[in-house]
Amino acid sequence: MGWDGDALAGQMEEVFERQQAVADARALRGTSTLEERMRSSQFESLRVSRSRIMTQLDGATNPAHRTMLERALKSINDQMAADEKNS
């Protein structure tokens, strides 16, 4: 199972920046709804998890552990992409 880290990281960073910009704009307007705040909180949780997994992946040497981390990263990326489509 290959992992194209540079391309994937670049795409996900663009998604993160767009979502963060929207969340920041809503917070500044003071018009964010409970649903928007929950979505923002979930996004932040996914972002932190993704960052932690990427750090672990950088240092992982055991093939089975790398595979597990790659799957976890893919799951988070898929969830973030789905959330982006739904917002």
Side-chain angles (χ1 to χ4, degrees):
M1 172 181 217
W3 182 66
D4 186 7
D6 293 336
L8 184 58
Q11 289 173 341
M12 293 311 297
E13 280 304 313
E14 290 175 20
V15 169
F16 299 150
E17 289 172 7
R18 282 195 309 271
Q19 287 180 336
Q20 193 61 47
V22 168
D24 290 346
R26 285 182 182 139
L28 290 174
R29 284 195 320 245
T31 60
S32 61
T33 65
L34 176 60
E35 182 180 323
E36 290 168 339
R37 288 190 303 270
M38 288 174 57
R39 220 181 291 150
S40 179
S41 176
Q42 180 182 9
F43 170 78
E44 182 64 18
S45 176
L46 289 170
R47 189 188 65 76
V48 169
S49 294
R50 183 179 183 276
S51 177
R52 187 180 68 243
I53 289 171
M54 289 183 71
T55 299
Q56 291 176 2
L57 189 57
D58 285 341
T61 57
N62 182 304
H65 187 226
R66 286 190 64 79
T67 298
M68 187 264 319
L69 291 171
E70 289 169 349
R71 287 180 181 160
L73 184 61
K74 182 180 180 327
S75 175
I76 289 173
N77 288 338
D78 290 348
Q79 187 172 356
M80 292 178 93
D83 289 349
E84 172 74 9
K85 286 181 182 178
N86 293 328
S87 52

